[in-house]
Amino acid sequence: PRPGFDEALAKKYPWVGDPKDAASMERARKVRWAMAMAIDQESIIKNILNGLGRVIYAWENYLPGDPAHKPEWVIPYDPNKARQFMADAGYPNGFNMELWSPGTNPPGTVAAADAAAEMWRKELKINVTIDKTAYATRRPQTVDHTINVPFVHGINYDV
């Protein structure tokens, strides 16, 4: 059982597709790609993290140039294509969403998440509400799978 997934599916979150419906899965994929394409990672690294970071496309820190990195993981910064994906998915005017970005994360992580949310607002008309509840408070939801919103766990620093 995945109660958070079931709830997200029932609430029809745009980035969550129904595995029993191929069209729903494709719409959700386009929304997720649009959201990723609307984040200017280079700008965040330069202007918020003072150059202390690197663009990454895979959770496990496989960087471009690493032998294990796959070219199909690269999601380019392209707000125009992102807007087209949103329109194709049926969300040309965006939607409302919650992002959990624990205020107890390191300052750079919090600032990067705030910047990403602002890019979604500006480029995709996504009305993002950021929940800054401490990680320890909401962690049980990640363990019992009741969490049903995207959340910021950390970012990759180049130190």
Side-chain angles (χ1 to χ4, degrees), residues 28-156:
R29 183 191 70 80
K30 284 185 175 183
V31 168
R32 291 190 306 272
W33 267 74
M35 292 174 75
M37 294 175 95
I39 298 172
D40 186 346
Q41 294 183 57
E42 292 284 353
S43 177
I44 290 172
I45 292 165
K46 178 181 176 187
N47 298 305
I48 294 174
L49 303 177
N50 297 315
L52 297 175
R54 53 197 164 193
V55 173
I56 190 166
Y57 303 100
W59 177 254
E60 294 298 327
N61 295 333
Y62 294 115
L63 297 166
D66 184 298
H69 188 269
K70 297 181 182 176
E72 60 266 25
W73 293 346
V74 174
I75 302 172
Y77 172 62
D78 188 340
N80 291 325
K81 191 168 187 179
R83 284 187 289 278
Q84 183 60 55
F85 276 177
M86 289 287 283
D88 293 348
Y91 299 97
N93 297 314
F95 49 80
N96 297 326
M97 72 172 286
E98 175 187 338
L99 173 68
W100 173 37
S101 174
T104 50
N105 275 342
T109 301
V110 172
D114 289 349
E118 188 56 35
M119 290 171 189
W120 291 336
R121 285 185 196 100
K122 177 184 174 203
E123 300 295 350
L124 304 178
K125 302 177 189 170
I126 298 174
N127 181 28
V128 183
T129 300
I130 301 177
D131 175 2
K132 296 205 179 203
T133 301
Y135 178 79
T137 303
R138 286 194 80 173
R139 184 178 188 285
Q141 293 178 304
T142 68
V143 174
D144 69 10
H145 303 285
T146 57
I147 193 154
N148 68 357
V149 298
F151 62 95
V152 178
H153 189 269
I155 60 174
N156 186 344

